[in-house]
Amino acid sequence: MQLSERSFKVVADVFHRVSGIRLVAAKRQLVIGRLQKLASERGLDSLDEYVDKVIKGGDEAELVKVVDRLTTNETYFFREPAHFEFLADMLTRRRPGQEFRVWSAASSSGEEAYSIAMLLADKIGPKGWKIVGTDLSTAMVEAARKALYPMERARNTSPQYLKRFCMRGSGPYEGQLLVSKELRANVHFEQANLMQPLPDIGQFDVVFLRNVLIYFEPDAKLDIVKRVTPFIKPGGYLFTGHSESLSNLPTGLTSVKPAVYART
C-alpha cells in the first residue's frame, strides 16, 4: 500500500494534535508499515481511503488504534544501566521506614518498570516500595500489565534476577518469560498523555522520563518537564535518556550527572 503526501500530512497533523509528537517526512515509510494492517482490518485496500474514511472521519476508537500503532517501540530490560547503578547507590542512602516510589513516565510495554522493580525488591525487599508506569498507548499499558516478554528482551538482565523474579515459559510459551506475581503486585500501570493534565498519582523519589523527549520540539519538551517536575519529591531525581539533554531549557532542575537531574 502507498500513502500520498496529502494523507501523510493528515496523519501527521492528527498524531501531533493527540500526542504532541511531530512526524517528519522521513517517518513516512514507518507510518505506511504501521497502518497497513489497520486498513486491511477495515477491508480497505488503500491507505488514502483509510485516512479519508477513518482518520478524517473522526472515528475515535480507530484513532486510539492509530496512536497505539504509531507509538509502539520495542525496548528491553535494564536499558541504559548507568541509571540503575545510580538508583542502587541512592537506595543505600534512603531513609528507612518511608515508602520508596518510582514513576516510569513513558513505560512502553513495561520492561523499564519491571527492571526497576527487580532492583527495588533486591535492595529493599518485597515491601516498602511502589512503582507507577504510564504510557500514551493503551495497547502498551495492557501489554505491560500482562508482563509476558520474549526472552531476548532480558539480554541485559542478570541470571540471578531472572531466576528470582521471572518464570521461564514452556510449551506454547517457549522462548518467553513472565514477571513474577509478587513483583507485579507492587507495579501499577495506567494510560497517561504527557502533553495533557496528568492523573493524581502522588509524588516520587525518582521519575524515569527516558527516550521520549527526543521526539518533541523544544517548547513541548519544556512543557512536559514542567508538567512532570511537581511529581518529584524535593531532593528527588529525574532521569532522561542519555541521548537527551535539558541543558538549554529553563527547567529549574539541577544537573547531577549525564541524564540525571535533581529537584532541589
Side-chain angles (χ1 to χ4, degrees), residues 5 21 38 48 64 72 77 82-83 98 102 108 116 122 140 143 149 151 172 200 207 222 225-227 247 259:
E5 185 174 345
I21 299 171
L38 291 178
D48 287 343
V64 170
T72 299
F77 291 88
H83 283 145
Q98 287 191 335
V102 181
S108 187
I116 300 165
D122 181 34
M140 288 297 96
Y149 303 99
M151 281 296 302
D200 183 9
V207 174
L222 180 59
V225 173
K226 286 187 173 182
R227 196 170 291 117
S247 59

Side-chain angles (χ1 to χ4, degrees), residues 17-36:
R17 187 179 72 244
V18 174
S19 69
I21 299 171
R22 179 73 68 183
L23 291 171
V24 297
K27 297 291 185 182
R28 188 164 163 181
Q29 285 302 316
L30 179 144
V31 171
I32 291 172
R34 296 285 174 90
L35 297 188
Q36 284 184 122

Side-chain angles (χ1 to χ4, degrees), residues 138-154:
T138 55
M140 288 297 96
V141 170
E142 287 305 312
R145 288 171 178 165
K146 291 177 182 176
L148 182 67
Y149 303 99
M151 281 296 302
E152 201 276 332
R153 295 191 192 174

Side-chain angles (χ1 to χ4, degrees), residues 11 20 34 75 81 86 90 94 128 137 150 159 175 197:
V11 174
R34 296 285 174 90
T75 183
F86 185 94
M90 183 181 174
R94 65 181 283 268
S137 167

